[in-house]
Amino acid sequence: MRPGRAFAVLARACCAAALFLAGAADAATRAWLDRTQVREGETVTLNIETDQPGVAPDFAPLQRDFTVGRPYRNEGPGRATLVGVRLVPRRSGLLEIPALRVGRELSQPLALQVGDAQQEERGQVFLQTRVDETSPWVQQSVGVTVRLYYATSLLSGELGQPAPDGASLQRVGDDVSGRERIGGREYQFVERRFLLVPERSGPLELPAPRFRGQAAPRCFDDFFGTDRALAADGKAQVLQVRPRPVGVPQPWLPLRGLQLRHLGQPGAARAGEAVEVVVEAKADGAIAAQFPELPVPRVEGAQVFAERAETTERFIDGRPQLTVVRRFAVVPQRAGRLVVPGQSVGWWDTVAGEARTARLPDLELDVAPGAVQARDPAAAVPHAGTAGGGDALPAPTAAVAGGAADVAPWRWLVLLLALLWLATLAWALRLRSRTRHAAPATASAHRAGRPSTAELRRALDAESFGEAVRLLQAMADPPAADLDEVIARLADPAQRDALQAMRRALWAGDGDPSSARVALRAAFRDGPRWAGAAREAAGAPLPPLYPPARGG
């Protein structure tokens, strides 16, 4: 910026400040920047504090010279409200932040010195780190993306991101590769994602990532003694972690967004027959380990049996996205009007800086009289009792008709579960005995540690995709090292395609995870089909009817 223009900008800023002070000397709205000098492309935070309730600053005048981020809001002590917004300068020079309208008041104008963008040294390899939130709250999930760019073929290498003090850091998903043209040069890149969860407030330094590797040999490299070692170090990131506000509801759940909805409306209901209620929660900025369990509704005049929740984790734009689906079986005990109260989940809005509650509307059902009055409502939903019987909530007005009025319904359920357990135990002991006599002792010992097909089906029904992959790795003979090796050793194309579809839906955002999970269950219903096992089966389609004679 030319000196004359810079002086004019400063003069206008001073005049505006003088007029503002003259007209609103007693105003309680003030503005400040976290720093007054930045480089082009860097971020600066504008903070505005006011004692006016329920007002929001007008950031429209900043659009000309800045890229304006999403503002966040924090209620301070007393009646003070703090609003912050991140700005990225569009050009270099001395930029003016004009007086902004805040309710019935104006903030004071500010000046920001913006230097030229710093040119990075880009050689054969270099690293870039992106953090999706630089001012997170305590225990908020922060997505960290590390990219390794390289312009030469790699023979080997190791990419690492050290964990910071005062926070947990875990790697998530699979690496993503691609190509990008930077500064007129073609680079390949490998992208690795991490999840950072701060454990205390204050400054948090994320150490710089590092890469150490070796380039693939080229012609005459060995002859001339060329050093093929490669090394690159990224830049450390400093995050300002905000403390948990006083008096916020528990459990503490910092999110960018939360939505609850019913998946479909239950159909006709009859007394003594179960109807299914399905609730879906979508959380922006959380993983399954952080999200609380969806509560079981308390329904007057009915019993409720909850199944285990199904969770799906995805990462979009470097940030975790969680989908939770939980099914409830509601058994009306009498005809008439039945109201299923909508559940609610409290959470903290990290963007607006305030506590919120996501609520579902109540469901109203017209219950018709049952054809036969059920004496044991729990028997109408045996699948719900076995899957989540521990979550059953007896209705306050429940009663058992007939001569067994002194026996509570839950006692019948406990007796049924005990009988099922004894039958299962007897079947397992018999199966174990048959297996011991049918196979050699060495083969039995070798296979005992492998997961079963039933375990794999349970993981595909209720666990995460990572748990299902871990079971598939252990089921291979010998065990597979990773998902790519599992896919390569499967003989069934449908199973390979199902695994690839789920991986694309979770980590690349290509497809619907729910549909991919359905296809995965169908493909692995009878267990994995390995390439080696397929060849053995082709040679001997059926086991021999009689054991071979010894010495014959």
Side-chain angles (χ1 to χ4, degrees):
M1 180 178 290
R2 292 176 297 179
R5 184 179 178 186
F7 178 79
V9 171
L10 286 175
R12 288 197 299 269
C14 293
C15 291
L19 291 174
F20 172 79
L21 293 175
D26 58 343
T29 297
R30 65 187 187 97
W32 71 93
L33 297 169
D34 63 340
R35 47 185 172 159
T36 58
Q37 293 184 356
V38 295
R39 288 185 177 273
E40 187 178 355
E42 293 181 348
T43 301
V44 62
T45 301
L46 171 64
N47 299 286
I48 299 178
E49 186 180 59
T50 182
D51 61 353
Q52 303 176 79
V55 299
D58 181 13
F59 296 113
L62 302 175
Q63 298 286 349
R64 185 175 63 115
D65 293 331
F66 299 92
T67 299
V68 182
R70 297 181 64 179
Y72 61 88
R73 188 183 187 93
N74 187 18
E75 300 291 341
R79 295 185 302 144
T81 299
L82 176 65
V83 180
V85 64
R86 288 186 295 275
L87 307 176
V88 179
R90 299 181 185 270
R91 57 184 177 86
S92 59
L94 184 62
L95 301 185
E96 177 190 5
I97 296 179
L100 302 178
R101 172 66 61 181
V102 185
R104 62 180 181 275
E105 300 173 358
L106 290 174
S107 65
Q108 67 269 29
L110 303 170
L112 177 66
Q113 183 65 48
V114 182
D116 294 332
Q118 184 177 3
Q119 298 296 325
E120 296 182 356
E121 293 286 340
R122 295 192 178 106
Q124 295 285 352
V125 293
F126 66 94
L127 292 166
Q128 283 187 354
T129 304
R130 185 182 66 181
V131 180
D132 78 317
E133 179 60 70
T134 58
S135 300
W137 300 83
V138 170
Q139 298 178 356
Q140 177 183 349
S141 296
V142 180
V144 178
T145 304
V146 178
R147 271 194 180 187
L148 168 67
Y149 290 89
Y150 54 97
T152 183
S153 299
L154 298 181
L155 179 63
S156 62
E158 182 178 355
L159 174 62
Q161 171 62 67
D165 295 331
S168 64
L169 183 73
Q170 63 175 338
R171 181 179 169 183
V172 291
D174 297 326
D175 291 345
V176 178
S177 59
R179 292 179 176 271
E180 186 175 344
R181 192 169 188 84
I182 302 176
R185 189 174 186 180
E186 188 77 16
Y187 284 91
Q188 299 182 65
F189 68 81
V190 174
E191 182 177 281
R192 184 166 294 178
R193 297 161 182 165
F194 299 88
L195 191 67
L196 176 71
V197 180
E199 298 172 352
R200 58 172 181 259
S201 60
L204 175 65
E205 181 177 355
L206 178 65
R210 56 181 300 172
F211 170 77
R212 299 293 182 267
Q214 193 174 22
R218 295 175 298 180
C219 295
F220 304 109
D221 277 357
D222 294 334
F223 180 78
F224 291 108
T226 304
D227 184 12
R228 299 196 302 271
L230 298 174
D233 292 295
K235 293 182 179 179
Q237 304 278 338
V238 178
L239 284 65
Q240 297 294 330
V241 182
R242 290 177 279 181
R244 181 171 60 182
V246 179
V248 295
Q250 296 295 331
W252 168 247
L253 183 61
L255 299 171
R256 285 178 174 263
L258 178 60
Q259 296 179 349
L260 297 179
R261 65 166 181 161
H262 288 111
L263 295 183
Q265 183 76 15
R270 299 176 67 90
E273 299 180 6
V275 293
E276 187 179 60
V277 176
V278 186
V279 177
E280 180 190 67
K282 288 189 174 182
D284 184 358
I287 59 176
Q290 296 175 300
F291 197 79
E293 191 175 62
L294 290 174
V296 180
R298 295 182 177 272
V299 184
E300 183 178 357
Q303 286 186 300
V304 181
F305 300 87
E307 295 187 6
R308 192 172 181 178
E310 300 178 5
T311 60
T312 302
E313 295 178 348
R314 304 175 64 188
F315 285 82
I316 301 176
D317 295 332
R319 191 167 65 248
Q321 311 282 332
L322 176 67
T323 301
V324 180
V325 176
R326 196 174 191 192
R327 304 174 187 275
F328 304 92
V330 180
V331 185
Q333 295 181 321
R334 58 176 179 267
R337 196 73 169 172
L338 184 68
V339 178
V340 181
Q343 297 99 313
S344 63
V345 177
W347 60 287
W348 179 261
D349 191 337
T350 60
V351 178
E354 58 185 24
R356 298 187 186 276
T357 302
R359 287 187 174 87
L360 283 172
D362 296 344
L363 292 178
E364 297 185 1
L365 302 176
D366 290 325
V367 182
V372 178
Q373 187 68 26
R375 296 181 59 182
D376 182 15
V381 283
H383 68 282
T386 57
D391 291 329
L393 295 178
T397 60
V400 179
D406 58 334
V407 181
W410 64 267
R411 296 184 181 178
W412 291 106
L413 179 61
V414 172
L415 180 60
L416 176 62
L417 291 177
L419 293 175
L420 290 176
W421 180 82
L422 291 174
T424 304
L425 180 60
W427 173 81
L429 292 175
R430 183 179 179 184
L431 180 62
R432 182 180 178 183
S433 176
R434 291 176 59 185
T435 304
R436 184 183 298 113
H437 293 292
T442 56
S444 298
H446 179 66
R447 291 177 172 83
R450 292 189 198 168
S452 64
T453 302
E455 291 179 277
L456 177 62
R457 284 198 296 264
R458 283 195 297 269
L460 293 174
D461 287 339
E463 302 291 342
S464 65
F465 180 58
E467 177 63 17
V469 171
R470 186 189 68 78
L471 292 177
L472 286 172
Q473 291 177 236
M475 295 173 74
D477 186 15
D482 52 22
L483 177 58
D484 291 331
E485 185 175 345
V486 169
I487 294 175
R489 290 167 60 181
L490 285 172
D492 189 351
Q495 293 182 346
R496 296 197 299 266
D497 293 343
L499 288 173
Q500 293 282 20
M502 177 59 84
R503 178 158 66 176
R504 288 194 302 269
L506 289 178
W507 312 124
D510 180 14
D512 180 23
S514 300
S515 301
R517 182 182 285 269
V518 172
L520 204 60
R521 292 172 183 160
F524 287 91
R525 181 180 295 109
D526 300 324
R529 289 182 280 276
W530 306 106
R535 288 194 294 269
E536 294 176 4
L542 290 174
L545 183 61
Y546 299 102
R550 296 184 178 178

